[in-house]
Amino acid sequence: MTVLSLQNPATGEQLGTLTQATPEQVQQTMKRARLAFASWATTPLSERLDYLARLRHYLVEHGEELAQKISQATGKVSLEAYMTEIFVTVDTIRFYEKNAVNMLSAQRVPTSLALWPKKSYIHYKPMGVVAVISPWNYPFQLAVIPVLSALVAGNTVILKPSEITPSTGLLIEELFRAVPLPDNVVSVLHGGREVGQAVVAERPAKIFFTGSVATGKKIMAAAAENLIPVELELGGKDSMIVFEDAHLERAANAAVWGAFTNSGQVCMSVERLYVHEHVYPEFLKRVTEKAIALRQGFPDQAEVGSMTSPQQIGIVREHVEEAIAAGATAVTGGHFSSDSMFITPTILTQVTPEMKIMKEETFGPILPIMTFSTEEEAIRLANATPYGLNASLWSQNKEKAQRVAEQLESGNVCINDVIISYANPHLPFGGVKQSGIGRYRGPSGLHAFTHIISVIHDPGTRKREVNWYPYTKDQEIMFVTLTTLLFGKWRKWNRQTLGAIWREVKRLF
Ligand code: NAD
């Protein structure tokens, strides 16, 4: 029996223990979730949304208390826990309350003249049991929002939260019990990789995974065995481009927040900063002053909390030390203490594209800065990574900003802002290249939790169709004529072709 330890990473305080789910528990949970699916899928959407509204009220009422608990589980400052875990979740619930009926209603689509008199529509069908496997950096909202999306769409859910922040998994379990949802509509299975693997092996109808690229690939390979659809929300190495016509003070404030919020443990952190050479000295002065002024500590009255995962500190340290050994300069920060979970916000200059700090996901409070001289160079540097999650660019020239935005290889782009695209639940979220597959949030994000069923409806009053047996010469003439008539440049019809069409139409009745 594996026991997970609940610990506050910032203080080292032990908060209790939790037993990892056994393989038998995973199997039983899947069985029960499948049984619960039958009734949840047929529960009217309005009733499903009532549960969400209750959850919203609960979160509004208990939000501060929950944020404190998330803060204890992660070491993030409580204001950040409130803004990024509670507020974002409540806002998403409201989005579903207002828009889910419209998004999940059957949709008529046009039917071409060649298919007359048929009508076509799409309807959205629940899939079954959705497995949500979530990470530790935003352990509440990155678990709860996909769970809610799956529920709204009529699925039941098994959530496997991160073993690095098990107390938040427990919190989520309690939350769904408090609403309360009908039995087995949401089940939480605590534990690490083995539990995640066991859930995947139970053949859920869909896997929604948020985590590292390496794990995403393993999950996709395992899912391929049973052709289980996967959605992968993976890592990033997000760029920020500051042009010389940017509002420098705003861009400097954004760089500091975008790189150091949540101690840089954000898939959309600013991990690479490219500044136009003309404004670089002034920009560097401003970001350095702002980074030095940050208050680091836990939990209240601080701006930068601790790291959440001790393993991540090792990766951050390796990237920084490798860069410094290869010639980079730490303008501020850059030192590590082996017994602390806090990393001082660090700014690195003299970095090069070959360094790990500019290529691989660092996931810590480190801001490496390079200069560029032309728009083309900035775009080339920003795109020179296997990742493509989020990017930001800073310019007061609207045309230039939009032109550059369209050339960035990134699933999400912010102009004169950072990270924030995720905050709009109307916008689909997801990565390109190795940052992921699929989108959640927005209408397409909700549809991703459904089977999209296409229906074509004929009145059924004619005895046959123009394309059915028995084939005739007239049929062939009619199709050739129709093709040129509907899609060609000139009209190829005469007495003979009209006669063929007429004889074919008569055969329908
Ligand atoms: P991780 O890949 O180590 O683990 C994520 C989850 O997968 C955990 O719950 C873990 O127990 C589980 N898991 C691990 N191996 C598994 C396996 N073989 N089968 C099934 N489940 C398995 O990721 P992490 O360290 O928890 O999270 C950090 C990563 O997540 C970073 O790379 C970050 O960029 C990424 N992330 C992406 C987004 C996004 O929206 N794109 C958001 C947050 C974090």
Side-chain angles (χ1 to χ4, degrees):
M1 187 176 17
T2 308
V3 175
L4 304 171
S5 153
L6 318 184
Q7 195 181 20
N8 179 334
T11 61
E13 185 193 351
Q14 289 296 329
L15 305 167
T17 55
L18 191 59
T19 310
Q20 169 161 303
T22 61
E24 295 70 40
Q25 280 168 333
V26 176
Q27 272 177 8
Q28 290 307 317
T29 304
M30 180 56 86
K31 261 190 204 152
R32 287 194 291 264
R34 285 205 175 106
L35 286 175
F37 172 67
S39 60
W40 184 250
T42 51
T43 301
L45 178 55
S46 56
E47 262 180 60
R48 300 204 293 261
L49 291 172
D50 281 347
Y51 286 107
L52 258 70
R54 264 185 256 166
L55 191 70
R56 172 168 54 79
H57 290 303
Y58 185 91
L59 289 174
V60 170
E61 212 171 303
H62 300 277
E64 284 165 280
E65 184 193 318
L66 293 170
Q68 287 292 342
K69 289 185 177 167
I70 297 166
S71 180
Q72 283 169 0
T74 55
K76 65 178 80 185
V77 295
S78 46
L79 172 60
E80 280 182 356
Y82 193 90
M83 290 189 299
T84 60
E85 305 266 24
I86 306 299
F87 181 87
V88 169
T89 306
V90 175
D91 190 38
T92 304
I93 294 177
R94 187 52 127 190
F95 166 75
Y96 282 137
E97 286 178 74
K98 284 187 182 164
N99 301 292
V101 170
N102 189 28
M103 293 189 294
L104 291 176
S105 298
Q107 283 175 18
R108 275 279 292 275
V109 295
T111 309
S112 75
L113 185 64
L115 293 172
W116 181 88
K118 301 174 210 309
K119 306 244 182 293
S120 309
Y121 65 94
I122 297 165
H123 83 96
Y124 301 98
K125 198 173 167 184
M127 304 175 91
V129 182
V130 171
V132 173
I133 301 177
S134 56
W136 49 262
N137 62 328
Y138 289 97
F140 185 82
Q141 61 112 332
L142 290 177
V144 173
I145 292 179
V147 167
L148 295 179
S149 309
L151 290 181
V152 169
N155 306 286
T156 53
V157 183
I158 293 180
L159 166 67
K160 208 300 282 171
S162 171
E163 68 278 24
I164 311 277
T165 47
S167 58
T168 306
L170 207 55
L171 197 72
I172 296 170
E173 193 174 12
E174 287 161 9
L175 177 73
F176 285 112
R177 226 180 278 136
V179 176
L181 277 171
D183 286 349
N184 305 311
V185 166
V186 175
S187 315
V188 182
L189 288 171
H190 304 280
R193 175 169 44 99
E194 317 75 52
V195 179
Q197 285 169 322
V199 171
V200 170
E202 284 301 313
R203 304 169 66 158
K206 173 176 177 122
I207 301 166
F208 184 95
F209 171 76
T210 308
S212 63
V213 173
T215 308
K217 287 179 182 174
K218 286 183 195 146
I219 288 185
M220 192 164 175
E225 291 291 315
N226 294 303
L227 285 182
I228 301 168
V230 290
E231 186 150 343
L232 304 176
E233 299 288 343
L234 309 178
K237 187 74 190 169
D238 296 350
S239 62
M240 171 170 182
I241 303 173
V242 181
F243 288 101
E244 56 187 325
D245 61 352
H247 186 308
L248 272 203
E249 180 63 8
R250 179 175 168 81
N253 280 325
V256 171
W257 182 79
F260 303 136
T261 184
N262 205 34
S263 271
Q265 303 163 111
V266 188
C267 54
M268 295 174 285
S269 283
V270 175
E271 290 226 355
R272 298 174 292 144
L273 206 159
Y274 303 102
V275 191
H276 193 278
E277 56 194 5
H278 291 165
V279 292
Y280 174 70
E282 176 59 24
F283 187 82
L284 181 62
K285 181 172 158 285
R286 293 191 195 207
V287 286
T288 306
E289 283 168 7
K290 290 173 196 298
I292 291 170
L294 288 172
R295 300 186 306 271
Q296 188 164 33
F298 181 85
D300 300 317
Q301 311 304 322
E303 289 162 323
V304 182
S306 78
M307 295 291 284
T308 303
S309 148
Q311 290 92 320
Q312 197 63 41
I313 296 180
I315 298 172
V316 179
R317 184 173 189 158
E318 186 202 329
H319 287 194
V320 171
E321 290 181 349
E322 188 224 58
I324 291 174
T329 304
V331 192
T332 177
H335 30 259
F336 292 81
S337 134
S338 53
D339 56 355
S340 173
M341 287 295 289
F342 289 83
I343 300 179
T344 312
T346 297
I347 294 179
L348 294 178
T349 57
Q350 316 294 324
V351 290
T352 60
E354 299 72 37
M355 295 174 178
K356 278 187 183 168
I357 200 81
M358 294 302 276
K359 284 196 306 201
E360 295 178 17
E361 186 178 45
T362 306
F363 225 53
I366 316 296
L367 180 62
I369 311 182
M370 276 180 69
T371 58
F372 68 88
S373 52
T374 64
E375 186 178 313
E376 293 68 32
E377 186 189 7
I379 295 168
R380 183 173 48 74
L381 287 167
N383 287 343
T385 155
Y387 295 101
L389 190 56
N390 207 334
S392 75
L393 65 103
W394 300 75
S395 166
Q396 297 195 58
N397 177 330
K398 198 172 157 194
E399 286 72 39
K400 176 163 83 177
Q402 290 178 351
R403 181 172 68 232
V404 174
E406 283 167 23
Q407 292 176 77
L408 292 176
E409 294 167 358
S410 177
N412 311 273
V413 178
C414 300
I415 298 175
N416 298 321
D417 211 328
V418 271
I419 300 182
I420 204 69
S421 54
Y422 181 82
N424 182 357
H426 289 267
L427 281 174
F429 180 81
V432 300
K433 303 204 280 190
Q434 299 229 347
S435 285
I437 293 177
R439 294 289 179 272
Y440 81 122
R441 300 170 78 69
S444 51
L446 183 57
H447 294 156
F449 288 95
T450 65
H451 288 304
I452 301 175
I453 309 294
S454 299
V455 180
I456 193 154
H457 187 163
D458 188 274
T461 51
R462 290 157 303 138
K463 69 181 183 202
R464 65 180 290 283
E465 282 295 331
V466 285
N467 52 315
W468 292 357
Y469 297 135
Y471 291 161
T472 64
K473 187 66 194 164
D474 280 346
Q475 214 172 348
E476 191 181 330
I477 296 169
M478 184 195 72
F479 266 99
V480 172
T481 310
L482 267 182
T483 306
T484 51
L485 196 65
L486 294 174
F487 314 115
K489 284 195 183 139
W490 52 279
R491 301 181 166 202
K492 187 184 174 184
W493 50 346
N494 52 36
R495 279 177 82 94
Q496 187 204 357
T497 57
L498 280 176
I501 292 171
W502 174 239
R503 282 188 295 280
E504 278 304 306
V505 169
K506 278 201 300 187
R507 286 210 302 146
L508 300 178
F509 298 94

